[in-house]
Amino acid sequence: MVHQTARDYLLKTPDLEFSITALEAHRQLFTRSLVYLLDPHLKANVGQTAALTASSFLQYATTCWPYHLDLSRLSRPSSTSLLPLLAKFFRGSYVLTWIHALAYFDQLKILVQASEYLHAFASKKRKMHADDVPHKECIEDLELLDSWAADLLKVLAKFGRNLSQESSAIYKLIPPFCPKESVIYRRHGKKDHSSSPTVTGLTDPSWDDCLAKISLGVLLQALQIECVTHYICILTTSGIIILCDALALREIRRLDHCEFVFEIAPNIAVETLVTYRYYSKKCGRSH
C-alpha cells in the first residue's frame, strides 16, 4: 500500500467488500513471486543486463518471497498448498536462476533468511501433521527443503565472494565443487556440461563444520576479532583493521592506522570504531 492508513483500513475492516487479511495477502504475494521465478524463460532474461534492470518485480520477487513465506506458514490450508510449489521450485534449475539474480542485485544475504524460513516452514509442517499418516511425496518434499536450507548457507559462505564477482558461476562452476552428498551437487553438479570443470580429489562427501575462511594477507596475524550485528572487525598485527560482512563472510574494507593498535571497540551498528593506539586514541567512522 502507498499509505499506511490505507493499508490499516483494508486490513482491519473485515466487513468491507474488498477487505483483505494480512495472512492471505502474504500467501498471495509469496505465490505470485514464486510463480514468477518458475518462468522457464527467466534464466535467459537474467543474463541480459538491460532486461534485468527493467524488471522491478524480478528484484521484488527475488528478495521478498522468503519473507512472505515466513508470514504465510501459520495456517494449515496455506501450508498444504505452498509445499508443492516450493518443491517444484527447488527440484528444478529455478533455484539456480534465483541465486544468480540475488548475486546480480548484490542481495546474497537473502540466502540466510531463506534458509531460516525454509527450515521453519518444514518444522511447522511436520508438527501440524504429526498425527496424520504422512504421504511419501510429502516426506520427500520436506527432506528436500531441509537439504536446501543447509546448502544455501554453505553456498553463501563458501562461494559468496565468487558469486559477487561472477553471478552466473552458480550454473556450471560452483555445483561441481560442492560435496557429493549435497543437494546442489546431486541435482546440478553431476550433469554433463561440456564447458563445466571436472573436479577430483574432494574427499569429504558432505559439508564440513568450516563455513568459510577469511584471508588476512601476507605476514598479517589477527590480534582481536569483534563480531557485532552483521559485521566482523579484525585487528591485525600491523595496525590494519579489516571489516567483513558477517553474513556473506567477505571483506568490505580495510583501515590502515600505520602504527600498532592495541585494541578496537566498535559500536553496535559498527558506524563508529574506537582504536587504542601506541601514541594516541582515535574515534572514527568505519564506513
Side-chain angles (χ1 to χ4, degrees), residues 124-169:
K124 181 72 174 181
K125 179 73 174 177
R126 289 189 178 95
K127 291 179 181 179
M128 290 174 60
H129 297 275
D131 298 330
D132 302 338
V133 178
H135 295 286
K136 180 181 178 180
E137 183 177 351
C138 179
I139 295 176
E140 292 176 349
D141 289 348
L142 293 177
E143 289 178 349
L144 177 68
L145 296 188
D146 280 334
S147 296
W148 270 109
D151 274 21
L152 292 180
L153 288 179
K154 296 294 186 177
V155 167
L156 172 63
K158 298 281 188 179
F159 307 106
R161 185 174 181 178
N162 306 94
L163 284 169
S164 297
Q165 296 172 347
E166 181 53 62
S167 57
S168 62

Side-chain angles (χ1 to χ4, degrees), residues 1-73:
M1 292 302 169
V2 176
H3 199 278
Q4 181 67 27
T5 54
R7 178 182 183 275
D8 292 341
Y9 179 70
L10 291 175
L11 290 175
K12 298 178 181 180
T13 314
D15 55 342
L16 288 176
E17 183 179 350
F18 45 81
S19 64
I20 57 177
T21 64
L23 182 62
E24 179 63 18
H26 284 296
R27 188 190 68 80
Q28 291 189 21
L29 285 169
F30 164 77
T31 303
R32 178 71 182 275
S33 297
L34 216 61
V35 168
Y36 181 85
L37 295 175
L38 286 169
D39 182 357
H41 303 293
L42 188 60
K43 179 180 178 180
N45 292 335
V46 172
Q48 300 174 3
T49 305
L52 191 58
T53 305
S55 177
S56 57
F57 187 71
L58 172 59
Q59 184 171 4
Y60 180 87
T62 299
T63 57
C64 294
W65 75 257
Y67 167 76
H68 293 302
L69 171 65
D70 183 53
L71 297 177
S72 302
R73 62 184 173 86

Side-chain angles (χ1 to χ4, degrees), residues 80-92:
T80 302
S81 62
L82 298 182
L83 180 57
L85 190 62
L86 280 167
K88 180 180 179 180
F89 178 74
F90 282 101
R91 277 202 173 91

Side-chain angles (χ1 to χ4, degrees), residues 14 51 82 105 114 127 152-153 163 183 185 187 198-199 209 220 222-223 229 238 260 268 277 282 286:
L82 298 182
F105 291 123
K127 291 179 181 179
L152 292 180
L153 288 179
L163 284 169
V183 65
Y185 178 85
R187 293 194 171 272
T198 300
V199 181
D209 294 333
L220 291 182
L223 290 178
T229 59
S238 64
F260 187 82
I268 295 179
R277 303 185 291 178
K282 184 176 181 180
S286 57

Side-chain angles (χ1 to χ4, degrees), residues 212-244:
K213 297 179 181 179
I214 299 176
S215 176
L216 302 183
V218 181
L219 302 178
L220 291 182
Q221 294 181 343
L223 290 178
Q224 180 184 350
I225 300 177
E226 296 286 340
C227 185
V228 184
T229 59
H230 300 310
Y231 298 95
I232 299 175
C233 299
I234 305 173
L235 171 62
T236 67
T237 48
S238 64
I240 296 177
I241 299 172
I242 303 174
L243 186 64
C244 301

